[in-house]
Amino acid sequence: MAKVAFVFPGQGSQAVGMGKDLYEQFPEARAVFDAVDDALGEKLSTTCFTGPEDALKLTANTQPAILTVSAAVHAVFQKRGPAPAFVAGHSLGEYSALVAAGAMELQDAARAVRARGTFMQDAVPAGVGAMAAILGLAPDAVKAACDAAAEGQIVSPANYNSPEQTVIAGHAAAVERAGVKCKEAGAKRVMPLPVSAPFHCALMDPVKPKLAEVLAGVRLQAPRVPVVSNVEAQPYSDVGRVVPLLLAQVSAPVRWIECVEALKANGVTHVVELGPGKVLGGLIKRITRDIESFNVENAASLEKVLAALGAA
């Protein structure tokens, strides 16, 4: 018997045109885009569908845009596909997961991630922080390289994405030093990331009190489906945990490897990535062979995945 989890992507999966065919073909998707446009008082849908790319890449737009597309895909899929036993999201995707689990209203989540994106953008002046992906080095070795490279500055693992890929974040110079140390330790590649801020490290601490004010105004309910949090990498269903975990997440690493392992330990056999891109499915394949992953981001992939899961 297939046991399904839904997972939701984070920043970096955006692309101009995302969600457009779902908007045109499915009233459920249209309702999601219209609700977010209404909540934000602007046509974010137009930015998703036609860009320009520079506008879509601004963190304050990217975060609500990915959330909206993910919620639209979920709205369409939930009417036609199997129900999930668990939900999880990568960074920003955790908000999409909470919407899917009924813990947070869509419009509240859109306003919250617009604020989150704005606060993150503003927390560190341009050029002060940086992020880099370290490929082909064990996570423990990456952490050790960061510790050795800090020299009084901040640099630490931000995303434990797969056994071969860890993203680091912090002060630009410290990230550069850590990259050199990772190379010396045997990393295959060090790729600087084109991001506007150093997410998921201590430089994001100033975001927390501001985000706490925003989240205090959000109506929350107990998740209908357990949510695997980025911070603890364990499923939870207690409504009282939602805000503390979302606040901690701002400066804590995304423990994606352990999130996937938690799904596996709880008997999940199939994961459906709902939203733009196939990033999470690719990471899941590198973490475990025991979970089959699919992605739904448009009408064509929807049909394909429904057929595959019907067979499963």
Side-chain angles (χ1 to χ4, degrees), residues 215-251:
L215 292 175
V218 170
R219 292 156 301 184
L220 297 170
Q221 294 181 46
R224 290 192 295 265
V225 180
V227 180
V228 179
S229 75
N230 286 182
V231 170
E232 294 178 343
Q234 287 297 328
Y236 78 96
S237 302
D238 174 7
V239 67
R241 304 287 297 127
V242 174
V243 170
L245 286 167
L246 289 178
L247 293 177
Q249 189 220 50
V250 169
S251 60

Side-chain angles (χ1 to χ4, degrees), residues 128-200:
V128 169
M131 297 183 80
I134 313 297
L135 306 181
L137 188 64
D140 291 353
V142 175
K143 170 94 170 68
C146 288
D147 291 345
E151 295 175 19
Q153 288 188 307
I154 286 162
V155 59
S156 55
N159 305 156
Y160 289 107
N161 280 339
S162 78
E164 298 88 39
Q165 188 200 110
T166 304
V167 173
I168 63 173
H171 287 106
V175 169
E176 201 167 323
R177 289 193 298 273
V180 171
K181 289 197 182 295
C182 285
K183 274 302 240 313
E184 288 167 0
K188 288 193 188 113
R189 279 178 78 192
V190 175
M191 291 168 52
L193 298 180
V195 292
S196 55
F199 304 128
H200 299 291

Side-chain angles (χ1 to χ4, degrees), residues 10-288:
Q11 206 158 333
S13 290
Q14 68 275 6
V16 172
M18 62 183 186
K20 188 167 188 282
D21 73 329
L22 293 175
Y23 180 88
E24 289 165 352
Q25 292 180 48
F26 297 99
E28 307 96 316
R30 204 153 43 244
V32 167
F33 281 100
D34 291 348
V36 173
D37 285 353
D38 187 44
L40 299 180
E42 66 181 74
K43 284 282 196 187
L44 186 69
S45 55
T46 306
T47 309
C48 291
F49 303 155
T50 60
E53 195 176 346
D54 286 351
L56 189 58
K57 278 202 317 216
L58 290 170
T59 299
N61 290 334
T62 313
Q63 295 201 15
I66 290 175
L67 172 101
T68 306
V69 175
S70 292
V73 176
H74 175 259
V76 174
F77 190 83
Q78 75 168 352
K79 282 220 164 159
R80 294 160 179 83
F86 297 92
V87 294
H90 190 288
S91 186
L92 153 77
E94 193 160 319
Y95 287 78
S96 308
L98 287 163
V99 172
M104 199 181 277
E105 296 287 338
L106 171 67
Q107 290 187 310
D108 285 337
R111 285 187 287 259
V113 298
R114 157 61 54 87
R116 178 182 185 266
T118 306
F119 299 153
M120 285 177 149
Q121 189 93 49
D122 296 347
V124 180
V128 169
M131 297 183 80
I134 313 297
L135 306 181
L137 188 64
D140 291 353
V142 175
K143 170 94 170 68
C146 288
D147 291 345
E151 295 175 19
Q153 288 188 307
I154 286 162
V155 59
S156 55
N159 305 156
Y160 289 107
N161 280 339
S162 78
E164 298 88 39
Q165 188 200 110
T166 304
V167 173
I168 63 173
H171 287 106
V175 169
E176 201 167 323
R177 289 193 298 273
V180 171
K181 289 197 182 295
C182 285
K183 274 302 240 313
E184 288 167 0
K188 288 193 188 113
R189 279 178 78 192
V190 175
M191 291 168 52
L193 298 180
V195 292
S196 55
F199 304 128
H200 299 291
C201 74
L203 290 174
M204 290 288 113
D205 280 341
V207 169
K208 289 182 192 174
K210 297 180 195 166
L211 185 59
E213 275 181 45
V214 173
L215 292 175
V218 170
R219 292 156 301 184
L220 297 170
Q221 294 181 46
R224 290 192 295 265
V225 180
V227 180
V228 179
S229 75
N230 286 182
V231 170
E232 294 178 343
Q234 287 297 328
Y236 78 96
S237 302
D238 174 7
V239 67
R241 304 287 297 127
V242 174
V243 170
L245 286 167
L246 289 178
L247 293 177
Q249 189 220 50
V250 169
S251 60
V254 174
R255 293 163 62 183
W256 190 248
I257 301 170
E258 292 169 273
C259 289
V260 174
E261 287 169 347
L263 293 175
K264 180 181 152 183
N266 281 282
V268 169
T269 54
H270 296 72
V271 163
V272 185
E273 180 174 2
L274 299 172
K278 302 177 184 175
V279 170
L280 299 183
L283 296 176
I284 290 165
K285 285 187 179 82
R286 295 189 181 96
I287 295 166
T288 176

Side-chain angles (χ1 to χ4, degrees), residues 22 73 77 272-277 294-298 301-302 305:
L22 293 175
V73 176
F77 190 83
V272 185
E273 180 174 2
L274 299 172
F294 305 89
N295 92 296
V296 180
E297 58 180 330
N298 52 30
S301 52
L302 172 72
V305 172

